Amino acid sequence: MGTGFSFFLRETSTGLLGSSSPPAKPGLGDLPESCISSIFMYLDPPEICKLAQMNRPFRAASLADFVWESKLPSNYKFLVDKVLDHENLPKKEIYARLCQPNRFDGSTKEVWLDKSCGQVFLSISSKALRITGIDDRRYWSHIPTEETRFHTVAYLQQIWWVEALGELEFEFSPGSYSLYFRLQLGKTCPKRFGRRVCNVDQVHGWHIKPVRFQLSTSDGQHALSECYLHQQGSWVHYHVGDFVVIDNHKPMKIKFSMVQIDCTHTKGGLSLDSVLIYPSKFREMLICR
């Protein structure tokens, strides 16, 4: 009887055709690579990178050039020519490199992409601006700091005439952009006992008359704003204005300025870090900083 029962178990477990288990159901790993790549085109870069860790087919699909070209901004070839040494890179590598800060124009300007959406951000150092009196140490000086991208800021001790002018010629992808001056009333000093120190002893004159900020573009757009500088001891992004880019294959020339030229009083104690150009939808991010 034992022998017969053992045979019965063996027969029922293997089935009449001798298979040990029912056929495996299709899984995600069985999807064609081209199909997975097509799906990836509708996902954000962080989601693609996360799914690429699932298995080999997903990883291979995540490397497709057409996937990452769809994530790159329309002006990415201009960016590659301007800041990257190698043109024949896989599109994923181009995306990864452009998401890192890349300097150009003698390391006075920096451009990078947002990792999540691939939009373009720009920062322009104070050293790229034409600042009245910058070469006279009685008025201005460049001081080192770890609080900025360029590790140096222009610091104003005292002057009657404040004027900082800048310009940029750049090929933007279509969209709306906002321009800001990053300023601080006060001079950042070396940390004491691990705490941030900002000297505001020389801050004066900014409450009497407002500072005028302006921008203009080569296609006729203009923006103007005025405000008093009053917040001491911390970096503030002062919004100059917005501009819109429609033609993504034509470089746009932008001129911008910060001026306070009322000579009835002196102004001082100002740190000028940089000028920032961000997609307008990121405005709240800068205001909160």
Side-chain angles (χ1 to χ4, degrees), residues 3-16 18-19:
T3 304
F5 185 69
S6 298
F7 174 78
F8 174 78
L9 288 177
R10 192 163 57 248
E11 185 179 30
T12 55
S13 65
T14 58
L16 294 176
S19 60

Side-chain angles (χ1 to χ4, degrees), residues 116-237:
S116 298
C117 63
Q119 291 195 294
V120 177
F121 293 70
L122 278 159
S123 181
I124 303 167
S125 168
S126 58
K127 287 190 174 182
L129 308 181
R130 299 191 307 276
I131 302 175
T132 301
I134 190 65
D135 296 323
D136 193 327
R137 299 274 299 180
R138 293 175 300 172
Y139 307 127
W140 289 90
S141 60
H142 289 288
I143 60 173
T145 177
E146 295 300 316
E147 296 186 346
T148 73
R149 288 182 169 272
F150 299 98
H151 305 295
T152 183
V153 300
Y155 178 70
L156 172 64
Q157 299 177 74
Q158 179 173 290
I159 202 169
W160 294 88
W161 181 292
V162 176
E163 185 177 43
L165 312 174
E167 61 182 50
L168 171 74
E169 187 169 3
F170 199 81
E171 187 178 301
F172 291 90
S173 54
S176 177
Y177 296 85
S178 300
L179 189 143
Y180 305 83
F181 272 82
R182 186 172 188 257
L183 309 173
Q184 175 182 255
L185 290 182
K187 180 180 181 181
T188 302
C189 304
K191 290 184 177 180
R192 296 178 186 173
F193 305 107
R195 292 187 176 183
R196 182 179 186 271
V197 177
C198 184
N199 188 324
V200 297
D201 291 345
Q202 292 182 314
V203 174
H204 69 280
W206 302 106
H207 65 289
I208 301 174
K209 291 291 181 67
V211 174
R212 172 173 291 191
F213 299 98
Q214 294 187 81
L215 77 80
S216 62
T217 66
S218 53
D219 64 352
Q221 299 180 65
H222 298 273
L224 183 150
S225 63
E226 292 186 343
C227 69
Y228 291 90
L229 309 187
H230 55 81
Q231 187 171 330
Q232 299 186 11
S234 60
W235 292 103
V236 179
H237 296 91

Side-chain angles (χ1 to χ4, degrees), residues 67-134:
V67 170
W68 290 99
E69 188 161 15
S70 69
K71 308 305 173 188
L72 286 163
S74 57
N75 66 333
Y76 82 90
K77 293 182 179 179
F78 168 82
L79 297 175
V80 169
D81 292 339
K82 199 164 192 67
V83 300
L84 296 185
D85 295 331
H86 307 285
E87 296 184 8
N88 298 320
L89 293 170
K91 296 298 189 293
K92 182 179 180 181
E93 181 66 19
I94 291 176
Y95 190 91
R97 294 196 183 191
L98 290 178
C99 285
Q100 301 297 318
N102 293 279
R103 293 190 177 182
F104 61 100
D105 285 0
S107 293
T108 61
K109 301 180 179 73
E110 199 169 78
V111 62
W112 68 96
L113 303 183
D114 179 80
K115 293 180 181 179
S116 298
C117 63
Q119 291 195 294
V120 177
F121 293 70
L122 278 159
S123 181
I124 303 167
S125 168
S126 58
K127 287 190 174 182
L129 308 181
R130 299 191 307 276
I131 302 175
T132 301
I134 190 65

Side-chain angles (χ1 to χ4, degrees), residues 16-35:
L16 294 176
L17 298 178
S19 60
S20 60
S21 60
K25 295 181 179 180
L28 290 175
D30 298 312
L31 286 171
E33 185 178 310
S34 59
C35 179

Side-chain angles (χ1 to χ4, degrees), residues 238-249:
Y238 291 91
H239 183 218
V240 178
D242 301 335
F243 62 93
V244 177
V245 177
I246 298 175
D247 187 350
N248 62 308
H249 297 298

